[in-house]
Amino acid sequence: MRRHVLSYVLSLVLLLSMAACSPSDNTAPGEEEVQIPVLEEGDTVHFTLLQTTDVHHHAVGTGPSASYGTENDTTLGGYSRLARRILTIRGVNDAAGIPTVLVDSGDYFMGTVYDMSLASSPAALMFFESMDYDAITIGNHELDYGPTPLAGFFSLAIGEYPVSKFNVPVIASNMVTHGNTGIDALKTAGVIKDSLIRTLDNGLKVGIIGLLGKNAASDAPVKAPLTFTNDLSNNAVVAEIQAKVNALRNDGAHVVIALSHSGITDPDGTPGGDDVTLAQKVTGIDIIASGHEHQRTSDVVVVNGTRIICAGKYGEYLAQLDVTVTVGTGVTDADLAPADESLIDSDLVQFGFVQVFLVGALDAGINEAIVAKGLPEVNDIVAGTNSNNMAIPEGPAETGIGNLAADSIRYLLGGAQGNPSLGIVANGVVRNGYAQGQQISFADIYNTLPLGMTLDPANQTIPGYPLVMIYLNQTSILNLCKLAALTLAAHDDVFMTSLLNSGVPAYVQQYYLLLNLKSDYYLNFSGVRYTHGQDYSVTAGNVYLYGATDFSCQSAAAIPIAALGANPIPCVLDLYTALMFLDPSMQALLAAAGLTINPLVMVDGVPVALSQANLLSARLDRDTEAAGVQEVKEWMGLLQYVTNTTAQLGLNSVIADSKYGSAALATGNASRVNVVVPD
């Protein structure tokens, strides 16, 4: 019987006494060894599956970080609430003799200031071990650093975890390493497994596989040399996954669960996504614990006899599936418990161990590191806002937070030589917003643009995508505006339906092309505004640039793009977006849309085409006097723009409604995106 570690951590003394237990001891103090029965045909048993997914290091949930655990707590979820809920369910189940299986479907890293724990004690892995997870899988954001650093994070947790070394199985069934020594070593050591069978206390054998889906893998630009066999349109790939499921059955598994970081979309409407396709094409998977798309299932989605559930995102919810199994028949019933309001209840009584010994210790370690770099502490208040228009983007549209993010990285150019310039931030990297009247902490600023890691090992001690500067001519700028407008079109159901039903081959072809433009690809601009027609077309005469130092894009005196002539202008974007433009699939998409975007970089003062080989040479350097490049991370730009004084053309710690509110976005000059309204 596996230990429920936190169930016995009632005090620091007991915690320390646990550290002395042998790692192989599976019986908690005071318990007797459980005699596991052997099930026979026709026996009916029960178990509960608990799932987290896409927590993205939200150790203190979502919302204002400084309010977590205070009388004014408005955060949602977090490790403490999850711990309380998990232990409550386990306690009820243990009393009833019902086993509990606890899993995570990936993307536990990348998304908050707690990513800074990765260099010492990875927060997510500490939480998984503390809560005695049965299995986890790998999501695309675990690969944001690349496979070798990921192997290092696991190795660190295995070697230095202070209570009991990280011992949670990592299931990666469709991963091919191609000789990556770090990942291969973890597989040899049994940390990363191809599959797993867990025998529960009631004799039920639960088989587990872990999958990274095609769409998710495409969001991991630095995963090489790893590849994932996940193209479900390929019969050989389907057969390979089917063989893994069959092998678990042949080895005695009564139930098979897929931890699938692949995704389900529109679960309460017309379900779609890679996990729906998986259920349609692979038989014998009883339950898919889905991740990646951040869409919580309010009820079980049944496809081809497979039940699909998803906890959503950020630890705001814990999925609880109560399952009945009849041996020889399979799953005969599976009920998804209603959303538990204790995970979103602002009246939070902290679960002591998690808050004090995990979150508190993490805060202390991070504070020590960042203060030494001249940064505020995690919960230091650095700004405020009077705008109610700073929510996280819910889809492709101009938003106050998207504009702010783009303005902040353009601000770093400082209006050099009086030239117009651009800032570009994709929707997918904007992960946090602010409430009206919120006191904004350093963590809140960091959490807004927290994703990614550099390709340069010398700069990997500080997480976040580095910023690069490229140059774009007027044709490329026009086509970027067209790309953004087409992304809007792709999510306009009326427009898309009209294309599909038009009967015109060119329009039908456009429909299928636009399906590839995900919401995360939407580009937020600073320094440019454009107007599109009802058909989402954009012409050069409707594209304008803002003045060099008009960083919040307020001036009516915009510059026609034609004024550039053949001269390219500087543009700041993050490494992720730069890599996206170099990605072969994106290049093919742009070519199919008839859009030519040719980013340039300066090499010895000469503009040359951006490439993988010269990408790192285009990085911004925050200290040109020091040896090498001192990267500017994306979140650093936001912190600097928001906190710099008005005299420095910053926001003076106030994100004003007059610049980023809904009224500002509704005006023709301040808004970056406008539409021609017919008379």
Side-chain angles (χ1 to χ4, degrees):
M1 177 177 175
R2 302 188 73 219
R3 289 181 300 163
H4 292 168
V5 177
L6 282 182
S7 299
Y8 308 100
V9 183
L10 302 178
S11 67
L12 178 59
V13 174
L14 187 52
L15 171 67
L16 294 176
S17 72
M18 286 179 59
C21 294
S22 167
S24 62
D25 180 11
N26 289 327
T27 304
E31 289 191 25
E32 296 181 0
E33 185 70 33
V34 173
Q35 298 300 314
I36 298 176
V38 176
L39 298 180
E40 298 181 355
E41 188 93 3
D43 287 346
T44 295
V45 292
H46 308 273
F47 78 99
T48 294
L49 177 67
L50 301 180
Q51 183 223 19
T52 55
T53 190
D54 296 273
V55 178
H56 288 284
H57 256 156
H58 279 74
V60 298
T62 58
S65 73
S67 74
Y68 185 71
T70 70
E71 292 181 0
N72 300 316
D73 192 349
T74 59
T75 58
L76 310 179
Y79 287 170
S80 292
R81 290 186 178 94
L82 284 171
R84 182 178 65 181
R85 183 60 182 154
I86 290 166
L87 294 177
T88 298
I89 295 169
R90 276 182 175 157
V92 171
N93 279 11
D94 286 350
I98 299 173
T100 303
V101 176
L102 176 60
V103 299
D104 186 274
S105 299
D107 276 8
Y108 29 89
F109 294 161
M110 302 310 300
T112 73
V113 72
Y114 292 95
D115 290 330
M116 291 188 176
S117 71
L118 288 169
S120 54
S121 300
L125 303 186
M126 292 174 69
F127 180 71
F128 291 152
E129 176 63 26
S130 298
M131 293 310 301
D132 205 15
Y133 272 65
D134 289 275
I136 64 175
T137 194
I138 293 172
N140 54 288
H141 281 290
E142 274 69 72
L143 294 165
D144 279 353
Y145 294 75
T148 298
L150 175 61
F153 301 148
F154 281 119
S155 298
L156 182 66
I158 292 165
E160 297 185 10
Y161 186 68
V163 177
S164 115
K165 295 179 180 181
F166 178 75
N167 193 35
V168 178
V170 182
I171 315 300
S173 307
N174 67 334
M175 179 175 69
V176 183
T177 65
H178 298 288
N180 181 273
T181 54
I183 299 296
D184 279 339
L186 290 173
K187 293 185 71 173
T188 300
V191 177
I192 297 178
K193 301 176 182 292
D194 186 69
S195 62
L196 174 72
I197 293 181
R198 176 78 69 198
T199 302
L200 307 185
D201 291 347
N202 60 5
L204 189 72
K205 296 181 183 294
V206 177
I208 301 175
I209 61 173
L211 304 172
L212 184 70
K214 183 178 180 181
N215 283 333
S218 70
D219 291 333
V222 295
K223 61 182 177 293
L226 303 185
T227 59
F228 295 84
T229 51
N230 51 23
D231 183 359
L232 296 174
S233 66
N234 185 323
N235 291 336
V237 169
V238 173
E240 184 173 332
I241 297 172
Q242 184 69 65
K244 294 179 184 297
V245 174
N246 295 346
L248 288 173
R249 294 288 186 184
N250 292 336
D251 287 341
H254 301 115
V255 173
V256 174
I257 299 171
L259 310 184
S260 182
H261 197 82
S262 303
I264 182 171
T265 60
D266 195 18
D268 296 328
T270 304
D274 283 356
D275 279 328
V276 169
T277 305
L278 175 66
Q280 290 170 336
K281 296 200 171 188
V282 177
T283 61
I285 300 176
D286 295 287
I287 301 164
I288 296 175
S290 179
H292 184 59
E293 293 289 355
H294 293 194
Q295 296 190 32
R296 184 176 68 89
T297 52
S298 59
D299 201 354
V300 179
V301 176
V302 182
V303 177
N304 195 30
T306 296
R307 294 160 172 87
I308 305 173
I309 62 167
C310 180
K313 67 183 191 310
Y314 302 161
E316 295 172 352
Y317 296 95
L318 175 73
Q320 176 187 346
L321 187 70
D322 297 313
V323 185
T324 301
V325 181
T326 299
V327 176
T329 301
V331 174
T332 56
D333 194 20
D335 296 321
L336 189 63
D340 177 55
E341 296 304 313
S342 69
L343 288 173
I344 60 174
D345 188 349
S346 62
D347 183 18
L348 172 65
V349 177
Q350 296 297 334
F351 190 83
F353 169 74
V354 180
Q355 178 60 16
V356 175
F357 294 103
L358 181 54
V359 177
L362 288 167
D363 284 352
I366 292 171
N367 285 338
E368 182 179 357
I370 62 180
V371 168
K373 297 180 183 295
L375 295 167
E377 290 192 354
V378 169
N379 288 315
D380 283 352
I381 303 302
V382 298
T385 179
N386 62 4
S387 176
N388 64 354
N389 193 43
M390 302 303 295
I392 304 173
E394 293 296 330
E398 183 182 16
T399 61
I401 194 73
N403 284 354
L404 174 67
D407 289 347
S408 69
I409 63 172
R410 175 171 165 253
Y411 173 77
L412 296 174
L413 294 183
Q417 292 86 43
N419 292 325
S421 59
L422 302 181
I424 301 176
V425 171
N427 253 13
V429 301
V430 181
R431 311 296 278 211
N432 188 43
Y434 318 122
Q436 186 174 18
Q438 180 179 331
Q439 290 186 312
I440 300 171
S441 68
F442 168 72
D444 298 329
I445 290 286
Y446 180 99
N447 295 353
T448 304
L449 297 170
L451 297 184
M453 179 48 68
T454 181
L455 302 175
D456 177 10
N459 278 276
Q460 288 181 344
T461 57
I462 302 177
Y465 282 124
L467 294 173
V468 300
M469 184 170 68
I470 62 173
Y471 290 82
L472 299 171
N473 62 21
Q474 66 168 295
T475 298
S476 292
I477 296 170
L478 171 62
N479 286 336
L480 277 174
C481 294
K482 289 181 177 180
L483 177 62
L486 288 176
T487 310
L488 294 173
H491 296 266
D492 180 341
D493 291 341
V494 173
F495 177 76
M496 291 291 283
T497 300
S498 70
L499 291 178
L500 185 61
N501 295 338
S502 67
V504 179
Y507 291 167
V508 174
Q509 182 180 11
Q510 185 182 22
Y511 169 86
Y512 288 106
L513 173 68
L514 295 183
L515 287 178
N516 294 293
L517 290 175
K518 297 187 290 187
S519 174
D520 284 355
Y521 290 167
Y522 177 74
L523 301 177
N524 299 282
F525 292 124
S526 178
V528 64
R529 63 178 169 88
Y530 65 92
T531 301
H532 65 76
Q534 296 290 312
D535 61 353
Y536 294 94
S537 62
V538 180
T539 62
N542 288 320
V543 179
Y544 295 86
L545 304 173
Y546 289 93
T549 57
D550 183 9
F551 296 117
S552 58
C553 302
Q554 299 292 298
S555 174
I559 306 163
I561 192 174
L564 287 180
N567 298 319
I569 62 171
C571 172
V572 181
L573 42 80
D574 61 45
L575 180 69
Y576 174 82
T577 308
L579 288 170
M580 186 172 72
F581 286 131
L582 292 175
D583 185 78
S585 60
M586 177 57 70
Q587 289 292 328
L589 179 62
L590 292 173
L595 302 178
T596 301
I597 299 173
N598 293 319
L600 305 172
V601 296
M602 292 295 176
V603 177
D604 297 327
V606 178
V608 299
L610 177 70
S611 68
Q612 291 277 0
N614 61 33
L615 177 58
L616 292 185
S617 70
R619 288 173 293 171
L620 297 186
D621 189 350
R622 68 177 186 273
D623 186 356
T624 56
E625 300 298 320
V629 175
Q630 316 305 307
E631 290 181 345
V632 182
K633 309 297 187 178
E634 196 164 23
W635 59 265
M636 292 179 179
L638 181 60
L639 178 67
Q640 185 171 331
Y641 178 54
V642 168
T643 59
N644 273 6
T645 65
T646 304
Q648 297 169 303
L649 302 180
L651 296 183
N652 202 29
S653 294
V654 177
I655 303 170
D657 190 67
S658 60
K659 293 183 177 181
Y660 298 103
S662 55
L665 267 60
T667 61
N669 293 321
S671 178
R672 324 292 166 86
V673 186
N674 299 281
V675 59
V676 174
V677 179
D679 296 332

